[in-house]
Amino acid sequence: MKNYDMPIFAALIALLLVAPLAVYPVFLMKVLCFALFALAFNLLVGYVGLLSFGHAMFFGFSAYISAYTVKSWGWNPEFGILAGTAVAALLGLVAGAIAIRRQGIYFAMVTLALAQMVFFFCLQAPFTGGEDGIQGVPRRALFGILDIRSDMNFYYVVLAIFAAGFLIIYRTIHSPFGQVLKAIRENEPRAISLGYKVDQYKLLAFVLSAGLTGLAGSTKAIVFQLASLTDVTWQMSGEAVLMTLVGGMGTVFGPMVGAAIIITMQNYLAGFGEYVLVIQGVIFVITVLLFRRGVVGEIAALGARLARPREETVTSPATATH
Amino acid sequence: MFELLGVPPQALFGQLLLGLINGAFYALLSLGLAVIFGMLNVINFTHGAQYMMGAFGAWMLMQYVGIPYWGALLIVPVIVGATGILLERLLLSRLYHLDHLYGLLLTFGLALIIEGLFRKQYGSSGLPYTNPIPGGTNLGFMFLPWYRGWVVAFSIVVCLATWFMIEKTKLGSYLRAATENPTLVRAFGINVPRMMTLTYGFGVGLAALAGVLAAPIYSVNPIMGSNLIIVVFAVVVIGGMGSIMGSIVTGFGLGVIEGLTKVFYPEASSTVIFIIMAIVLMIRPAGLFGTQR
């Protein structure tokens, strides 16, 4: 089948360029940050088959780093974001080295536990401001020239960051490196027998995913001028899982569709308080039971069925599209 | 008054007892997780919510029906276990043919639903539950509240009874055989799907039992389970899920270590189990009692 990924991406960016004319830019920035978060998470679960239940540690911790360097050290936002990204990648190196020692379900539990450790660290460490978090992070001029106090201006910066993150992930999964990752996902013992140092590939993918999650987290801290404990909780890790699952694990566009759906939903349901949790749980259950391929995965499967009406189309959720 | 390593013995033994109690909950919960995982290959993320349901069950029986603690100790695990059986039959059993991760995701979603509903109904502040055996005794080196002694003793008995049932009885040998090779066991005419259902109900019942035990100690609140379950996951990773006795020993041991950390280095008490998990993973990835699978 012909690959329409790039035309779709171009159309999406074109749409996003004019979107702030119709939609509140802060909302769009939130969606873009979470979309990048989910895309980075999907790099692991969709293409290496590693379900991390602790990605909030990179998202939340990078937000603290970026907020702290910008507010207390007076760094420019671009350096704050870079610092957050770098620290998240470093944290990813440590956490990844520990977590990849187990597979499958254990990997999920180990990442969850490590993230909880980071949560307690953030709760107790003096620089994070405890329950208050770091508030009132200034939006200083980007590169010293571009005024990002206006949401409209900053929106285009965030869009550029998002597009760069997407292209890095897209390039990764279509590179020889990405092919090896998929081979590991499909059959790890075979990849080992072919001579690939599987652990190194997994660790590198983990670091990349952690770093890009950090990019999303530290950008979000500047957008909302806030870093708080919410972003380090296990619920936040669960949200990344939910977005990716709803959009379609292992699909190129699924995570961002999922992020848009979940953030929009949270926006409209904000008045329902505790029911948001219940509704998210219900979506989890329904998706797992009925639409394991997610929105994009189901559409792709439908498209494949229409294109080849006679053939049986058997696609596993993770391999629906590439 | 003598001192041990600069710590007054009252404080030391007091924390040690608290550690043993926490350990009792770790052991009961990780035991349930291990039994369920062995049979169903599902990591039951709902376990924490089911523990919370146990505590709420005791509170509700007392509040609405007037049934005291001792009645709740018998009734609640059965009721919550029955809800578990319903969940397994209606939802979980549809996922056995898929990757194990889907079981984790489903039970995570269920945990969110249960926790959210209880939060909506009862708020997030704790509800009090009266201590059924107030008072205590002075052992000379420490004060032992009767109820805490009861929790430790009773949970040890429950753990050992579970171990005995699985390792030493005929039913247990069916269970272990079905864990090893379900197809072959079915060929011998044993109803493995029903065993899986009952196993899930039993594991859930254990979680609820821990919840009832916890009700008089901790305040009953909707988030009591989700915070605990992550620690229990770490306990399970440290112990490995291969051995029943391993889960029990690891649970109690880590509770005690956590208690001691509270005495000597309180800042690390909430993270010490995760740090131990990281160290164990580096040295023995399969866990202390586990076999890599």
Side-chain angles (χ1 to χ4, degrees), chain A residues 116-117 120-121 124, chain B residues 267-276:
Chain A
Q116 193 72 355
M117 190 158 103
F120 281 117
F121 176 78
Q124 292 170 344
Chain B
E267 290 81 8
S269 61
S270 48
T271 44
V272 63
I273 290 186
F274 303 124
I275 294 167
I276 294 175

Side-chain angles (χ1 to χ4, degrees), chain A residues 101-102 105 124 274 292 317, chain B residues 43 102 267 281-282 285:
Chain A
R101 299 181 69 86
R102 300 304 303 263
I105 264 168
Q124 292 170 344
E274 305 296 356
R292 278 181 289 275
Chain B
I43 274 294
Y102 287 110
E267 290 81 8
L281 280 171
M282 297 318 278

Side-chain angles (χ1 to χ4, degrees), chain A residues 116 234, chain B residues 22 25-26 29 48 51-52 210 214 218 223-235 258 274:
Chain A
Q116 193 72 355
W234 58 267
Chain B
N22 279 337
F25 294 128
Y26 297 159
L29 291 174
Y51 158 86
M52 181 266 289
Y218 309 119
I223 52 169
M224 66 193 285
S226 57
N227 291 327
L228 184 61
I229 195 64
I230 301 176
V231 181
V232 173
F233 279 171
V235 171
E258 200 184 32
F274 303 124

Side-chain angles (χ1 to χ4, degrees), chain B residues 11-288:
Chain B
L12 180 65
F13 287 108
Q15 286 299 341
L16 217 55
L17 178 67
L18 272 182
L20 266 181
I21 288 176
N22 279 337
F25 294 128
Y26 297 159
L28 281 174
L29 291 174
S30 61
L31 189 61
L33 278 181
V35 172
I36 292 173
F37 182 74
M39 194 72 194
L40 283 71
N41 269 324
V42 166
I43 274 294
N44 186 29
F45 218 124
T46 325
H47 221 64
Q50 280 148 343
Y51 158 86
M52 181 266 289
M53 282 168 82
F56 264 99
W59 182 84
M60 286 171 176
L61 282 184
M62 177 87 99
Q63 197 74 11
Y64 303 139
V65 198
I67 294 175
Y69 175 82
W70 304 104
L73 206 53
L74 274 177
I75 301 171
V76 171
V78 176
I79 297 176
V80 179
T83 64
I85 285 178
L86 214 62
L87 285 184
E88 194 275 345
R89 274 295 87 204
L90 290 178
L91 306 173
L92 214 46
S93 57
R94 293 169 199 275
L95 299 176
Y96 291 153
H97 62 287
L98 296 166
D99 194 316
H100 306 160
L101 293 176
Y102 287 110
L104 180 77
L105 295 175
L106 178 78
T107 51
F108 179 75
L110 290 172
L112 288 184
I113 296 174
I114 297 172
E115 198 183 301
L117 288 175
F118 274 86
R119 263 159 84 159
K120 184 72 200 162
Q121 195 62 33
Y122 297 100
S124 347
S125 56
L127 302 165
Y129 190 86
T130 1
N131 185 343
I133 17 178
T137 181
N138 198 338
L139 298 178
F141 54 90
M142 67 174 289
F143 182 76
L144 174 73
W146 289 125
Y147 185 74
R148 302 199 165 194
W150 152 255
V151 169
V152 173
F154 183 64
S155 52
I156 289 175
V157 170
V158 172
C159 286
L160 290 181
T162 308
W163 170 82
F164 183 82
M165 191 185 81
I166 292 173
E167 298 289 335
K168 302 288 171 199
T169 65
K170 184 132 195 169
L171 181 69
S173 62
Y174 286 156
L175 203 78
R176 280 177 288 131
T179 305
E180 284 290 315
N181 192 338
T183 322
L184 195 62
V185 174
R186 282 181 92 158
F188 286 129
I190 293 166
N191 190 339
V192 173
R194 191 202 290 153
M195 263 171 83
M196 291 166 85
T197 307
L198 292 177
T199 305
Y200 188 74
F202 176 75
V204 171
L206 271 184
L209 184 72
V212 179
L213 285 175
I217 299 182
Y218 309 119
S219 66
V220 177
N221 79 68
I223 52 169
M224 66 193 285
S226 57
N227 291 327
L228 184 61
I229 195 64
I230 301 176
V231 181
V232 173
F233 279 171
V235 171
V236 162
V237 172
I238 293 169
M241 283 191 283
S243 129
I244 298 294
M245 201 43 114
S247 304
I248 301 171
V249 173
T250 318
F252 277 99
L254 287 171
V256 169
I257 291 175
E258 200 184 32
L260 289 176
T261 316
K262 267 201 190 97
V263 178
F264 293 107
Y265 190 59
E267 290 81 8
S269 61
S270 48
T271 44
V272 63
I273 290 186
F274 303 124
I275 294 167
I276 294 175
M277 181 195 77
I279 295 168
V280 167
L281 280 171
M282 297 318 278
I283 300 166
R284 237 185 106 84
L288 296 177

